[in-house]
Amino acid sequence: MLDFLKDITFKANDVVLRAVDILMRNYISIAGLCFLLFVTSNLSSFLALYLDSSNYFIKVLLLLVFVGLYFGLQLVLLKRTIFLAKDEKSHVFKDYLPTVSQFCYYIVGLLFYSLIAFVVYLIMYVLLFPLLFLGVNMQTVQTEVHPLLTGLVMMFILIRITFFPFFILENGFNTFKSYRFSLAMTKGNVSTLLIIIAIVASTHLLQIAAEYLGYSLVSWILSLINAFVIIPVVGVVMSIVYIDMMKAYKGGSDPSVIDNII
């Protein structure tokens, strides 16, 4: 067990260090795209408040524009990090733009994940219902037990399917085939992915702890690190992990869901 933990920790550290190296060499382009995502998100929130009393058609039109722009930028950022992780630099601007079908498959994938989250939310309530007969307070189940267990289950599901956009962009697969490949590729790699997530999320957790303890200056410094270092490095980390796992993938060309759930 100790050797296993050392091995997966070494792999996780290696991925993060490689991602930091790529980020340092291409910081402007990656951080610039992250900044555009930040501006788009905040601008949409501002306009939603500013145009609250405007015509319904205008609000729907702007919503569609911002959805297209925001998620389109996410896919551009993802393509950029994939090319950098593969050390491919000879690409023109149009190579980074997703096709209409890729964009639609990505949106369907996000909606399907939301549906999974809703189903898990309901199932967890059913599974926890017997606790009420054991004397556990309803308020405790609703505000503590249920959110915690639902969050853990959804984290596991997210780890297993988080690479579906890569298969959409790299191979042109549809949403559900991309989901199946993500399940197959992450099978047996959950421990490594958890450690990578823990490493990447460490500064965010430290920021929350600093805020809770009242260290405002430390929290502010960590928030800057998160905004200008951690968020840009996340995309590179995920691209490196995807490429490494694809190199080690020995599964079939059409994996099934049942064979790769556990």
Side-chain angles (χ1 to χ4, degrees):
M1 175 61 73
L2 183 60
D3 290 336
F4 172 73
L5 291 175
K6 286 182 178 179
D7 181 55
I8 61 175
T9 303
F10 174 79
K11 290 179 181 177
N13 288 336
D14 177 64
V15 167
V16 174
L17 290 175
R18 286 160 57 195
V20 171
D21 178 62
I22 292 174
L23 179 63
M24 290 176 65
R25 290 185 281 110
N26 303 274
Y27 182 78
I28 299 299
S29 61
I30 299 174
L33 287 169
C34 290
F35 179 73
L36 287 176
L37 284 169
F38 174 81
V39 170
T40 302
S41 176
N42 283 272
L43 183 60
S44 64
S45 300
F46 170 76
L47 288 178
L49 293 174
Y50 182 75
L51 300 174
D52 185 54
S53 58
S54 299
N55 182 276
Y56 181 76
F57 175 76
I58 294 177
K59 290 192 288 186
V60 171
L61 180 62
L62 286 175
L63 174 64
L64 294 175
V65 169
F66 277 109
V67 166
L69 184 59
Y70 183 78
F71 291 111
L73 283 171
Q74 283 190 345
L75 294 177
V76 170
L77 176 61
L78 196 56
K79 276 198 170 187
R80 174 64 175 162
T81 57
I82 291 172
F83 290 147
L84 291 175
K86 296 170 68 175
D87 201 26
E88 296 179 1
K89 299 180 180 178
S90 57
H91 289 279
V92 296
F93 177 73
K94 67 177 184 179
D95 294 335
Y96 296 100
L97 300 177
T99 64
V100 174
S101 61
Q102 289 173 339
F103 180 83
C104 292
Y105 289 147
Y106 179 61
I107 296 298
V108 171
L110 295 178
L111 294 174
F112 187 63
Y113 176 76
S114 299
L115 177 62
I116 293 173
F118 177 72
V119 171
V120 170
Y121 182 87
L122 295 180
I123 291 175
M124 292 306 296
Y125 262 127
V126 174
L127 294 177
L128 294 174
F129 186 74
L131 292 178
L132 300 178
F133 294 98
L134 297 176
V136 181
N137 185 272
M138 171 69 81
Q139 186 73 13
T140 302
V141 173
Q142 288 182 328
T143 61
E144 298 179 20
V145 181
H146 182 268
L148 175 61
L149 294 181
T150 302
L152 291 175
V153 172
M154 289 310 302
M155 177 180 290
F156 176 77
I157 294 175
L158 180 60
I159 288 173
R160 298 302 308 279
I161 66 174
T162 192
F163 293 97
F164 83 88
F166 292 87
F167 292 101
I168 292 174
L169 294 176
E170 279 276 272
N171 303 285
F173 294 161
N174 62 40
T175 303
F176 301 106
K177 188 173 183 178
S178 299
Y179 264 73
R180 297 201 308 272
F181 264 96
S182 185
L183 285 172
M185 189 179 68
T186 54
K187 183 179 180 180
N189 292 302
V190 174
S191 299
T192 304
L193 292 171
L194 278 173
I195 291 180
I196 291 173
I197 291 172
I199 294 173
V200 171
S202 58
T203 54
H204 183 67
L205 295 175
L206 288 173
Q207 179 188 346
I208 294 175
E211 289 179 358
Y212 179 76
L213 296 173
Y215 297 109
S216 301
L217 179 60
V218 176
S219 175
W220 181 75
I221 293 173
L222 290 172
S223 68
L224 290 178
I225 295 174
N226 283 324
F228 294 101
V229 178
I230 301 303
I231 293 177
V233 86
V234 166
V236 184
V237 166
M238 299 305 290
S239 295
I240 292 175
V241 171
Y242 163 76
I243 292 169
D244 286 353
M245 288 196 296
M246 280 302 295
K247 289 179 181 177
Y249 177 66
K250 295 180 173 60
S253 59
D254 191 22
S256 68
V257 174
I258 301 300
D259 294 336
N260 293 289
I261 288 179
I262 304 299

